[in-house]
Amino acid sequence: MKSGKHIVIFSHGFGVRKEARGLFSDISSVLDDTELVLFDYNIVDETENTTTLRPLSEQARIFSEKVKEARERYPDAVVDAVCHSQGAISVALADLHHVPIRKIILIAPPVTMNLERMMNAFKSRPGTKIDMNSTSRIVRSDGSITLVPSKYFIERTMIQPMRLYNELAKVTELVIIRAKQDNVLGETEFSVLKNVRLIELDGDHEFSGDSRKGLLETVAKAIL
């Protein structure tokens, strides 16, 4: 058995792929001497340029399995997680009581699961079709298609992010990085949370442009 192993598991957001449109690739580049675990929650069809969302309960199960696999391979390893956007919800829903994880960093996590806000962001795009009783077809900004089953929407309406984050903070060290100019979630407020370290950084939801460097430095410092 190897000692001193450090594993970082990544949890991506709504409808994107495991690299989180380059965000996780950049974070990976500054995490030296760590084993990185990047994976897709969803079903990706490269030929059709589509991504089919799995329900959040299934995403949570997948994340739990990734932690369990890491623990089985290296029982004494330090295991951390980095999550972006809705990836925070997938992790907060996971069963982490029996598979300990040292620290979880939530980057620009949602404070509500407001369906109306999400619908307004997508429904005006040509080719988008929302069907709450079947499978919705959402056109993304990069031209790819996200297919969303009705079960995803059903589960989403029942989720209370703040309650989940408070519960998560009971089983791990929880760090939240708030984007001060979040163009997707709008203004976010985390003062109601307990036992959570809150870091506020300038940047949009993706920490694009000049703000990316500050995010990378902050995550590396928190993890390493």
Side-chain angles (χ1 to χ4, degrees), residues 23-88:
L23 175 61
F24 286 171
S25 301
D26 286 347
I27 293 174
S28 297
S29 70
V30 299
L31 298 182
D32 297 327
D33 300 320
T34 58
E35 179 176 320
L36 308 173
V37 180
L38 287 83
F39 62 95
D40 286 305
Y41 280 123
N42 307 309
I43 302 167
V44 177
D45 186 329
E46 298 282 0
T47 303
E48 297 295 330
N49 199 23
T50 62
T51 299
T52 302
L53 253 62
R54 287 191 170 98
L56 288 164
S57 58
E58 180 67 7
Q59 294 184 34
R61 185 196 64 77
I62 292 171
F63 184 82
S64 298
E65 285 298 315
K66 295 298 179 182
V67 179
K68 182 180 178 182
E69 289 169 8
R71 283 279 170 224
E72 288 176 346
R73 286 188 295 118
Y74 303 103
D76 296 326
V78 171
V79 180
D80 295 323
V82 174
C83 319
H84 179 241
S85 193
Q86 188 186 269

Short mmCIF file of all heavy atoms in Angstrom, two decimals, residues 23-88:
data_model
loop_
_atom_site.label_atom_id
_atom_site.label_comp_id
_atom_site.label_asym_id
_atom_site.label_seq_id
_atom_site.Cartn_x
_atom_site.Cartn_y
_atom_site.Cartn_z
N LEU A 23 -12.11 24.76 -17.27
CA LEU A 23 -11.87 25.21 -15.90
C LEU A 23 -11.11 24.15 -15.11
O LEU A 23 -10.11 24.46 -14.44
CB LEU A 23 -13.20 25.53 -15.21
CG LEU A 23 -13.11 25.91 -13.73
CD1 LEU A 23 -12.26 27.16 -13.53
CD2 LEU A 23 -14.50 26.11 -13.14
N PHE A 24 -11.56 22.91 -15.16
CA PHE A 24 -10.90 21.85 -14.39
C PHE A 24 -9.54 21.50 -14.97
O PHE A 24 -8.63 21.09 -14.23
CB PHE A 24 -11.79 20.60 -14.33
CG PHE A 24 -12.98 20.75 -13.41
CD1 PHE A 24 -13.98 19.79 -13.40
CD2 PHE A 24 -13.11 21.83 -12.56
CE1 PHE A 24 -15.08 19.91 -12.55
CE2 PHE A 24 -14.20 21.96 -11.71
CZ PHE A 24 -15.19 20.99 -11.71
N SER A 25 -9.38 21.64 -16.27
CA SER A 25 -8.06 21.41 -16.87
C SER A 25 -7.05 22.40 -16.31
O SER A 25 -5.91 22.05 -15.98
CB SER A 25 -8.14 21.53 -18.40
OG SER A 25 -9.06 20.61 -18.93
N ASP A 26 -7.47 23.67 -16.19
CA ASP A 26 -6.58 24.69 -15.65
C ASP A 26 -6.27 24.44 -14.19
O ASP A 26 -5.13 24.59 -13.74
CB ASP A 26 -7.19 26.08 -15.83
CG ASP A 26 -7.13 26.56 -17.27
OD1 ASP A 26 -6.41 25.95 -18.09
OD2 ASP A 26 -7.81 27.56 -17.59
N ILE A 27 -7.29 24.07 -13.41
CA ILE A 27 -7.06 23.78 -11.99
C ILE A 27 -6.12 22.59 -11.84
O ILE A 27 -5.21 22.59 -11.01
CB ILE A 27 -8.39 23.51 -11.27
CG1 ILE A 27 -9.23 24.80 -11.22
CG2 ILE A 27 -8.15 23.00 -9.85
CD1 ILE A 27 -10.62 24.62 -10.65
N SER A 28 -6.30 21.58 -12.69
CA SER A 28 -5.44 20.39 -12.63
C SER A 28 -3.97 20.76 -12.82
O SER A 28 -3.08 20.15 -12.21
CB SER A 28 -5.86 19.39 -13.71
OG SER A 28 -7.17 18.92 -13.50
N SER A 29 -3.72 21.76 -13.65
CA SER A 29 -2.33 22.12 -13.99
C SER A 29 -1.57 22.71 -12.80
O SER A 29 -0.34 22.76 -12.83
CB SER A 29 -2.32 23.12 -15.15
OG SER A 29 -2.82 24.39 -14.76
N VAL A 30 -2.29 23.16 -11.76
CA VAL A 30 -1.61 23.76 -10.61
C VAL A 30 -1.63 22.85 -9.38
O VAL A 30 -1.14 23.24 -8.31
CB VAL A 30 -2.23 25.13 -10.25
CG1 VAL A 30 -2.08 26.09 -11.41
CG2 VAL A 30 -3.69 25.01 -9.83
N LEU A 31 -2.16 21.65 -9.53
CA LEU A 31 -2.21 20.70 -8.41
C LEU A 31 -1.10 19.67 -8.57
O LEU A 31 -1.30 18.57 -9.12
CB LEU A 31 -3.58 20.03 -8.33
CG LEU A 31 -4.76 20.97 -8.08
CD1 LEU A 31 -6.06 20.17 -7.97
CD2 LEU A 31 -4.55 21.81 -6.81
N ASP A 32 0.08 20.01 -8.10
CA ASP A 32 1.23 19.11 -8.23
C ASP A 32 1.14 17.96 -7.24
O ASP A 32 0.59 18.09 -6.15
CB ASP A 32 2.53 19.90 -7.99
CG ASP A 32 2.74 20.99 -9.02
OD1 ASP A 32 2.32 20.81 -10.18
OD2 ASP A 32 3.31 22.04 -8.65
N ASP A 33 1.72 16.83 -7.65
CA ASP A 33 1.83 15.65 -6.78
C ASP A 33 0.47 15.15 -6.28
O ASP A 33 0.34 14.68 -5.15
CB ASP A 33 2.73 15.95 -5.57
CG ASP A 33 4.14 16.35 -6.00
OD1 ASP A 33 4.65 15.73 -6.95
OD2 ASP A 33 4.70 17.27 -5.39
N THR A 34 -0.53 15.29 -7.12
CA THR A 34 -1.85 14.75 -6.78
C THR A 34 -2.32 13.84 -7.91
O THR A 34 -1.97 14.03 -9.08
CB THR A 34 -2.90 15.87 -6.58
OG1 THR A 34 -2.99 16.64 -7.78
CG2 THR A 34 -2.52 16.78 -5.43
N GLU A 35 -3.13 12.86 -7.54
CA GLU A 35 -3.80 12.03 -8.55
C GLU A 35 -5.16 12.67 -8.81
O GLU A 35 -5.94 12.87 -7.89
CB GLU A 35 -3.97 10.60 -8.06
CG GLU A 35 -4.69 9.72 -9.07
CD GLU A 35 -4.79 8.28 -8.63
OE1 GLU A 35 -3.80 7.75 -8.06
OE2 GLU A 35 -5.85 7.65 -8.85
N LEU A 36 -5.43 12.99 -10.05
CA LEU A 36 -6.64 13.72 -10.41
C LEU A 36 -7.67 12.78 -11.01
O LEU A 36 -7.35 11.95 -11.87
CB LEU A 36 -6.30 14.83 -11.41
CG LEU A 36 -5.16 15.76 -10.98
CD1 LEU A 36 -4.79 16.70 -12.10
CD2 LEU A 36 -5.55 16.54 -9.73
N VAL A 37 -8.92 12.93 -10.57
CA VAL A 37 -10.01 12.09 -11.06
C VAL A 37 -11.04 13.00 -11.71
O VAL A 37 -11.77 13.72 -11.04
CB VAL A 37 -10.65 11.28 -9.92
CG1 VAL A 37 -11.79 10.41 -10.46
CG2 VAL A 37 -9.60 10.41 -9.22
N LEU A 38 -11.09 12.98 -13.04
CA LEU A 38 -12.09 13.72 -13.80
C LEU A 38 -12.98 12.72 -14.53
O LEU A 38 -12.48 11.74 -15.10
CB LEU A 38 -11.44 14.67 -14.82
CG LEU A 38 -10.77 15.93 -14.27
CD1 LEU A 38 -9.35 15.64 -13.80
CD2 LEU A 38 -10.73 17.02 -15.34
N PHE A 39 -14.27 12.95 -14.51
CA PHE A 39 -15.21 12.00 -15.11
C PHE A 39 -16.46 12.73 -15.54
O PHE A 39 -16.76 13.84 -15.07
CB PHE A 39 -15.56 10.89 -14.12
CG PHE A 39 -16.26 11.40 -12.89
CD1 PHE A 39 -17.65 11.42 -12.81
CD2 PHE A 39 -15.54 11.88 -11.82
CE1 PHE A 39 -18.29 11.92 -11.69
CE2 PHE A 39 -16.16 12.39 -10.69
CZ PHE A 39 -17.54 12.40 -10.62
N ASP A 40 -17.21 12.13 -16.44
CA ASP A 40 -18.48 12.68 -16.90
C ASP A 40 -19.63 12.09 -16.10
O ASP A 40 -19.77 10.87 -16.01
CB ASP A 40 -18.69 12.38 -18.39
CG ASP A 40 -17.81 13.22 -19.29
OD1 ASP A 40 -17.86 14.46 -19.17
OD2 ASP A 40 -17.06 12.65 -20.10
N TYR A 41 -20.49 12.97 -15.56
CA TYR A 41 -21.72 12.49 -14.94
C TYR A 41 -22.71 12.02 -16.00
O TYR A 41 -23.53 11.14 -15.75
CB TYR A 41 -22.40 13.64 -14.17
CG TYR A 41 -21.83 13.92 -12.81
CD1 TYR A 41 -21.35 15.18 -12.48
CD2 TYR A 41 -21.78 12.93 -11.83
CE1 TYR A 41 -20.85 15.47 -11.23
CE2 TYR A 41 -21.27 13.20 -10.57
CZ TYR A 41 -20.80 14.47 -10.28
OH TYR A 41 -20.31 14.73 -9.03
N ASN A 42 -22.62 12.62 -17.17
CA ASN A 42 -23.67 12.46 -18.17
C ASN A 42 -23.23 11.57 -19.32
O ASN A 42 -22.08 11.12 -19.37
CB ASN A 42 -24.08 13.85 -18.67
CG ASN A 42 -24.45 14.77 -17.52
OD1 ASN A 42 -25.26 14.40 -16.66
ND2 ASN A 42 -23.85 15.95 -17.47
N ILE A 43 -24.15 11.31 -20.23
CA ILE A 43 -23.87 10.45 -21.38
C ILE A 43 -23.53 11.35 -22.56
O ILE A 43 -24.37 12.13 -23.03
CB ILE A 43 -25.09 9.57 -21.70
CG1 ILE A 43 -25.47 8.72 -20.47
CG2 ILE A 43 -24.81 8.68 -22.90
CD1 ILE A 43 -26.82 8.05 -20.59
N VAL A 44 -22.31 11.25 -23.04
CA VAL A 44 -21.82 12.12 -24.10
C VAL A 44 -21.80 11.37 -25.43
O VAL A 44 -21.25 10.27 -25.52
CB VAL A 44 -20.41 12.65 -23.77
CG1 VAL A 44 -19.87 13.49 -24.91
CG2 VAL A 44 -20.43 13.44 -22.46
N ASP A 45 -22.40 11.97 -26.44
CA ASP A 45 -22.39 11.42 -27.80
C ASP A 45 -21.61 12.40 -28.68
O ASP A 45 -22.14 13.44 -29.09
CB ASP A 45 -23.81 11.24 -28.33
CG ASP A 45 -23.86 10.54 -29.67
OD1 ASP A 45 -22.90 10.69 -30.46
OD2 ASP A 45 -24.85 9.84 -29.96
N GLU A 46 -20.35 12.09 -28.94
CA GLU A 46 -19.50 12.99 -29.72
C GLU A 46 -20.01 13.15 -31.15
O GLU A 46 -19.94 14.24 -31.73
CB GLU A 46 -18.06 12.45 -29.75
CG GLU A 46 -17.40 12.35 -28.40
CD GLU A 46 -16.90 13.70 -27.88
OE1 GLU A 46 -17.09 14.70 -28.60
OE2 GLU A 46 -16.35 13.73 -26.77
N THR A 47 -20.54 12.07 -31.72
CA THR A 47 -21.01 12.12 -33.10
C THR A 47 -22.16 13.09 -33.27
O THR A 47 -22.21 13.89 -34.21
CB THR A 47 -21.44 10.72 -33.58
OG1 THR A 47 -20.33 9.81 -33.43
CG2 THR A 47 -21.87 10.75 -35.04
N GLU A 48 -23.13 13.05 -32.34
CA GLU A 48 -24.30 13.91 -32.42
C GLU A 48 -24.10 15.24 -31.68
O GLU A 48 -24.98 16.10 -31.71
CB GLU A 48 -25.51 13.18 -31.83
CG GLU A 48 -25.91 11.91 -32.59
CD GLU A 48 -26.40 12.20 -34.00
OE1 GLU A 48 -26.98 13.29 -34.21
OE2 GLU A 48 -26.19 11.35 -34.88
N ASN A 49 -22.96 15.37 -31.00
CA ASN A 49 -22.66 16.57 -30.22
C ASN A 49 -23.74 16.83 -29.16
O ASN A 49 -24.18 17.96 -28.96
CB ASN A 49 -22.50 17.79 -31.12
CG ASN A 49 -21.75 18.94 -30.43
OD1 ASN A 49 -21.00 18.72 -29.49
ND2 ASN A 49 -21.96 20.16 -30.90
N THR A 50 -24.16 15.74 -28.51
CA THR A 50 -25.19 15.84 -27.48
C THR A 50 -24.68 15.31 -26.14
O THR A 50 -23.80 14.44 -26.09
CB THR A 50 -26.46 15.05 -27.86
OG1 THR A 50 -26.12 13.66 -27.97
CG2 THR A 50 -27.04 15.56 -29.17
N THR A 51 -25.24 15.85 -25.09
CA THR A 51 -24.98 15.37 -23.74
C THR A 51 -26.34 15.12 -23.09
O THR A 51 -27.17 16.02 -23.01
CB THR A 51 -24.19 16.40 -22.92
OG1 THR A 51 -22.94 16.64 -23.55
CG2 THR A 51 -23.96 15.90 -21.50
N THR A 52 -26.56 13.88 -22.64
CA THR A 52 -27.81 13.52 -21.97
C THR A 52 -27.59 13.55 -20.47
O THR A 52 -26.75 12.82 -19.93
CB THR A 52 -28.29 12.14 -22.41
OG1 THR A 52 -28.47 12.12 -23.82
CG2 THR A 52 -29.60 11.79 -21.72
N LEU A 53 -28.32 14.42 -19.79
CA LEU A 53 -28.17 14.57 -18.34
C LEU A 53 -28.70 13.35 -17.60
O LEU A 53 -29.75 12.81 -17.94
CB LEU A 53 -28.95 15.81 -17.86
CG LEU A 53 -28.12 17.02 -17.45
CD1 LEU A 53 -27.32 17.53 -18.62
CD2 LEU A 53 -29.00 18.09 -16.86
N ARG A 54 -27.96 12.97 -16.57
CA ARG A 54 -28.50 12.01 -15.62
C ARG A 54 -29.17 12.79 -14.48
O ARG A 54 -28.74 13.91 -14.16
CB ARG A 54 -27.39 11.12 -15.05
CG ARG A 54 -26.87 10.08 -16.04
CD ARG A 54 -25.97 9.09 -15.33
NE ARG A 54 -25.64 7.95 -16.17
CZ ARG A 54 -24.51 7.83 -16.87
NH1 ARG A 54 -23.61 8.80 -16.82
NH2 ARG A 54 -24.28 6.76 -17.61
N PRO A 55 -30.20 12.24 -13.85
CA PRO A 55 -30.82 12.91 -12.70
C PRO A 55 -29.80 13.14 -11.60
O PRO A 55 -28.78 12.45 -11.50
CB PRO A 55 -31.90 11.91 -12.26
CG PRO A 55 -32.20 11.11 -13.49
CD PRO A 55 -30.90 10.99 -14.22
N LEU A 56 -30.05 14.12 -10.75
CA LEU A 56 -29.10 14.49 -9.71
C LEU A 56 -28.85 13.35 -8.73
O LEU A 56 -27.73 13.20 -8.22
CB LEU A 56 -29.60 15.73 -8.98
CG LEU A 56 -29.50 17.02 -9.81
CD1 LEU A 56 -30.35 18.12 -9.20
CD2 LEU A 56 -28.06 17.47 -9.94
N SER A 57 -29.86 12.54 -8.45
CA SER A 57 -29.66 11.41 -7.55
C SER A 57 -28.66 10.42 -8.14
O SER A 57 -27.84 9.83 -7.41
CB SER A 57 -30.99 10.70 -7.29
OG SER A 57 -31.58 10.25 -8.50
N GLU A 58 -28.69 10.23 -9.46
CA GLU A 58 -27.74 9.34 -10.12
C GLU A 58 -26.35 9.95 -10.12
O GLU A 58 -25.35 9.25 -9.93
CB GLU A 58 -28.21 9.06 -11.55
CG GLU A 58 -27.32 8.14 -12.34
CD GLU A 58 -27.28 6.70 -11.84
OE1 GLU A 58 -28.06 6.37 -10.91
OE2 GLU A 58 -26.48 5.91 -12.36
N GLN A 59 -26.26 11.25 -10.31
CA GLN A 59 -24.96 11.91 -10.25
C GLN A 59 -24.35 11.76 -8.85
O GLN A 59 -23.14 11.52 -8.72
CB GLN A 59 -25.11 13.39 -10.62
CG GLN A 59 -25.51 13.62 -12.07
CD GLN A 59 -25.57 15.09 -12.43
OE1 GLN A 59 -24.79 15.89 -11.93
NE2 GLN A 59 -26.50 15.45 -13.31
N ALA A 60 -25.18 11.90 -7.84
CA ALA A 60 -24.69 11.74 -6.47
C ALA A 60 -24.17 10.33 -6.23
O ALA A 60 -23.13 10.14 -5.58
CB ALA A 60 -25.82 12.05 -5.48
N ARG A 61 -24.86 9.34 -6.77
CA ARG A 61 -24.41 7.95 -6.64
C ARG A 61 -23.06 7.75 -7.32
O ARG A 61 -22.17 7.08 -6.78
CB ARG A 61 -25.45 7.00 -7.24
CG ARG A 61 -25.10 5.52 -7.04
CD ARG A 61 -25.91 4.62 -7.94
NE ARG A 61 -25.62 4.85 -9.35
CZ ARG A 61 -24.52 4.41 -9.97
NH1 ARG A 61 -23.60 3.73 -9.30
NH2 ARG A 61 -24.33 4.66 -11.25
N ILE A 62 -22.90 8.33 -8.49
CA ILE A 62 -21.65 8.21 -9.23
C ILE A 62 -20.49 8.82 -8.45
O ILE A 62 -19.41 8.24 -8.34
CB ILE A 62 -21.78 8.86 -10.62
CG1 ILE A 62 -22.73 8.05 -11.50
CG2 ILE A 62 -20.41 8.97 -11.31
CD1 ILE A 62 -23.10 8.73 -12.80
N PHE A 63 -20.74 10.01 -7.87
CA PHE A 63 -19.67 10.64 -7.10
C PHE A 63 -19.30 9.78 -5.89
O PHE A 63 -18.11 9.60 -5.59
CB PHE A 63 -20.08 12.03 -6.63
CG PHE A 63 -18.97 12.74 -5.90
CD1 PHE A 63 -17.97 13.39 -6.60
CD2 PHE A 63 -18.92 12.73 -4.51
CE1 PHE A 63 -16.93 14.01 -5.92
CE2 PHE A 63 -17.88 13.35 -3.83
CZ PHE A 63 -16.89 14.00 -4.54
N SER A 64 -20.28 9.24 -5.20
CA SER A 64 -20.00 8.37 -4.05
C SER A 64 -19.13 7.19 -4.47
O SER A 64 -18.21 6.79 -3.74
CB SER A 64 -21.31 7.85 -3.44
OG SER A 64 -22.10 8.91 -2.95
N GLU A 65 -19.42 6.63 -5.64
CA GLU A 65 -18.63 5.50 -6.15
C GLU A 65 -17.20 5.91 -6.43
O GLU A 65 -16.27 5.13 -6.19
CB GLU A 65 -19.28 4.94 -7.41
CG GLU A 65 -20.54 4.12 -7.14
CD GLU A 65 -20.27 2.90 -6.28
OE1 GLU A 65 -19.27 2.19 -6.56
OE2 GLU A 65 -21.03 2.66 -5.33
N LYS A 66 -16.99 7.11 -6.96
CA LYS A 66 -15.63 7.59 -7.23
C LYS A 66 -14.82 7.71 -5.94
O LYS A 66 -13.64 7.36 -5.91
CB LYS A 66 -15.68 8.93 -7.96
CG LYS A 66 -16.30 8.87 -9.34
CD LYS A 66 -15.53 7.97 -10.29
CE LYS A 66 -16.19 7.90 -11.66
NZ LYS A 66 -15.46 6.99 -12.58
N VAL A 67 -15.46 8.22 -4.90
CA VAL A 67 -14.77 8.33 -3.61
C VAL A 67 -14.48 6.93 -3.05
O VAL A 67 -13.38 6.66 -2.56
CB VAL A 67 -15.60 9.14 -2.61
CG1 VAL A 67 -14.87 9.22 -1.26
CG2 VAL A 67 -15.88 10.54 -3.14
N LYS A 68 -15.44 6.04 -3.16
CA LYS A 68 -15.27 4.68 -2.67
C LYS A 68 -14.13 3.97 -3.40
O LYS A 68 -13.30 3.28 -2.78
CB LYS A 68 -16.57 3.89 -2.85
CG LYS A 68 -16.52 2.47 -2.34
CD LYS A 68 -17.85 1.76 -2.55
CE LYS A 68 -17.77 0.30 -2.08
NZ LYS A 68 -19.06 -0.40 -2.33
N GLU A 69 -14.07 4.14 -4.71
CA GLU A 69 -13.00 3.53 -5.50
C GLU A 69 -11.63 4.06 -5.08
O GLU A 69 -10.66 3.29 -4.96
CB GLU A 69 -13.22 3.82 -6.99
CG GLU A 69 -14.39 3.07 -7.60
CD GLU A 69 -14.74 3.58 -8.99
OE1 GLU A 69 -13.97 4.42 -9.54
OE2 GLU A 69 -15.78 3.16 -9.54
N ALA A 70 -11.54 5.36 -4.83
CA ALA A 70 -10.28 5.94 -4.40
C ALA A 70 -9.87 5.39 -3.04
O ALA A 70 -8.69 5.05 -2.81
CB ALA A 70 -10.41 7.46 -4.33
N ARG A 71 -10.83 5.25 -2.14
CA ARG A 71 -10.55 4.72 -0.81
C ARG A 71 -10.13 3.25 -0.85
O ARG A 71 -9.27 2.81 -0.08
CB ARG A 71 -11.79 4.87 0.07
CG ARG A 71 -12.00 6.28 0.56
CD ARG A 71 -11.13 6.55 1.76
NE ARG A 71 -11.14 7.97 2.11
CZ ARG A 71 -10.07 8.65 2.43
NH1 ARG A 71 -8.89 8.07 2.39
NH2 ARG A 71 -10.14 9.91 2.78
N GLU A 72 -10.73 2.50 -1.75
CA GLU A 72 -10.39 1.08 -1.86
C GLU A 72 -8.97 0.89 -2.41
O GLU A 72 -8.25 -0.02 -2.01
CB GLU A 72 -11.41 0.36 -2.74
CG GLU A 72 -12.77 0.20 -2.07
CD GLU A 72 -13.81 -0.43 -2.98
OE1 GLU A 72 -13.56 -0.49 -4.21
OE2 GLU A 72 -14.87 -0.84 -2.47
N ARG A 73 -8.58 1.75 -3.33
CA ARG A 73 -7.24 1.65 -3.91
C ARG A 73 -6.17 2.13 -2.94
O ARG A 73 -5.08 1.56 -2.86
CB ARG A 73 -7.16 2.46 -5.21
CG ARG A 73 -7.88 1.81 -6.38
CD ARG A 73 -7.62 2.54 -7.69
NE ARG A 73 -8.17 3.89 -7.69
CZ ARG A 73 -7.46 5.00 -7.83
NH1 ARG A 73 -6.15 4.92 -7.97
NH2 ARG A 73 -8.03 6.19 -7.83
N TYR A 74 -6.45 3.20 -2.22
CA TYR A 74 -5.49 3.80 -1.29
C TYR A 74 -6.19 4.14 0.01
O TYR A 74 -6.64 5.28 0.21
CB TYR A 74 -4.87 5.05 -1.91
CG TYR A 74 -4.19 4.83 -3.23
CD1 TYR A 74 -4.82 5.20 -4.42
CD2 TYR A 74 -2.93 4.24 -3.31
CE1 TYR A 74 -4.20 5.00 -5.65
CE2 TYR A 74 -2.30 4.03 -4.52
CZ TYR A 74 -2.95 4.41 -5.69
OH TYR A 74 -2.33 4.20 -6.90
N PRO A 75 -6.34 3.18 0.93
CA PRO A 75 -7.11 3.40 2.16
C PRO A 75 -6.62 4.57 3.01
O PRO A 75 -7.40 5.19 3.73
CB PRO A 75 -6.96 2.07 2.91
CG PRO A 75 -6.70 1.07 1.83
CD PRO A 75 -5.87 1.78 0.81
N ASP A 76 -5.33 4.88 2.94
CA ASP A 76 -4.78 5.94 3.78
C ASP A 76 -4.60 7.26 3.03
O ASP A 76 -3.99 8.19 3.57
CB ASP A 76 -3.43 5.50 4.35
CG ASP A 76 -3.57 4.30 5.27
OD1 ASP A 76 -4.61 4.21 5.96
OD2 ASP A 76 -2.65 3.46 5.30
N ALA A 77 -5.11 7.35 1.84
CA ALA A 77 -4.91 8.56 1.05
C ALA A 77 -5.69 9.74 1.60
O ALA A 77 -6.73 9.58 2.27
CB ALA A 77 -5.34 8.30 -0.40
N VAL A 78 -5.21 10.93 1.30
CA VAL A 78 -5.97 12.16 1.51
C VAL A 78 -6.83 12.34 0.27
O VAL A 78 -6.33 12.41 -0.85
CB VAL A 78 -5.05 13.37 1.70
CG1 VAL A 78 -5.86 14.67 1.70
CG2 VAL A 78 -4.27 13.24 3.00
N VAL A 79 -8.15 12.42 0.45
CA VAL A 79 -9.07 12.59 -0.67
C VAL A 79 -9.79 13.92 -0.52
O VAL A 79 -10.41 14.19 0.51
CB VAL A 79 -10.09 11.44 -0.74
CG1 VAL A 79 -11.04 11.65 -1.92
CG2 VAL A 79 -9.38 10.10 -0.88
N ASP A 80 -9.69 14.75 -1.55
CA ASP A 80 -10.37 16.04 -1.58
C ASP A 80 -11.25 16.11 -2.83
O ASP A 80 -11.14 15.26 -3.72
CB ASP A 80 -9.36 17.19 -1.63
CG ASP A 80 -8.51 17.29 -0.37
OD1 ASP A 80 -9.05 17.04 0.72
OD2 ASP A 80 -7.32 17.62 -0.49
N ALA A 81 -12.09 17.14 -2.90
CA ALA A 81 -12.94 17.32 -4.07
C ALA A 81 -13.01 18.79 -4.44
O ALA A 81 -12.98 19.67 -3.58
CB ALA A 81 -14.34 16.78 -3.83
N VAL A 82 -13.09 19.04 -5.76
CA VAL A 82 -13.29 20.39 -6.29
C VAL A 82 -14.54 20.34 -7.16
O VAL A 82 -14.64 19.52 -8.08
CB VAL A 82 -12.09 20.86 -7.11
CG1 VAL A 82 -12.38 22.21 -7.77
CG2 VAL A 82 -10.84 20.96 -6.24
N CYS A 83 -15.50 21.21 -6.86
CA CYS A 83 -16.79 21.19 -7.56
C CYS A 83 -17.06 22.57 -8.15
O CYS A 83 -16.71 23.59 -7.55
CB CYS A 83 -17.93 20.85 -6.59
SG CYS A 83 -17.55 19.54 -5.42
N HIS A 84 -17.71 22.57 -9.30
CA HIS A 84 -18.10 23.85 -9.89
C HIS A 84 -19.60 23.88 -10.12
O HIS A 84 -20.19 22.91 -10.60
CB HIS A 84 -17.38 24.08 -11.22
CG HIS A 84 -17.77 25.37 -11.89
ND1 HIS A 84 -18.35 25.42 -13.13
CD2 HIS A 84 -17.68 26.67 -11.47
CE1 HIS A 84 -18.60 26.69 -13.45
NE2 HIS A 84 -18.19 27.46 -12.47
N SER A 85 -20.21 24.99 -9.76
CA SER A 85 -21.62 25.25 -10.05
C SER A 85 -22.49 24.10 -9.54
O SER A 85 -22.40 23.72 -8.38
CB SER A 85 -21.80 25.47 -11.57
OG SER A 85 -23.06 26.00 -11.88
N GLN A 86 -23.35 23.53 -10.41
CA GLN A 86 -24.25 22.47 -9.97
C GLN A 86 -23.52 21.22 -9.50
O GLN A 86 -24.09 20.37 -8.80
CB GLN A 86 -25.21 22.10 -11.10
CG GLN A 86 -26.31 21.15 -10.66
CD GLN A 86 -27.16 20.68 -11.83
OE1 GLN A 86 -28.15 21.29 -12.16
NE2 GLN A 86 -26.73 19.60 -12.46
N GLY A 87 -22.25 21.09 -9.84
CA GLY A 87 -21.46 19.97 -9.32
C GLY A 87 -21.42 19.96 -7.81
O GLY A 87 -21.20 18.91 -7.19
N ALA A 88 -21.66 21.11 -7.18
CA ALA A 88 -21.75 21.18 -5.72
C ALA A 88 -22.96 20.41 -5.21
O ALA A 88 -22.91 19.75 -4.16
CB ALA A 88 -21.84 22.64 -5.28
#
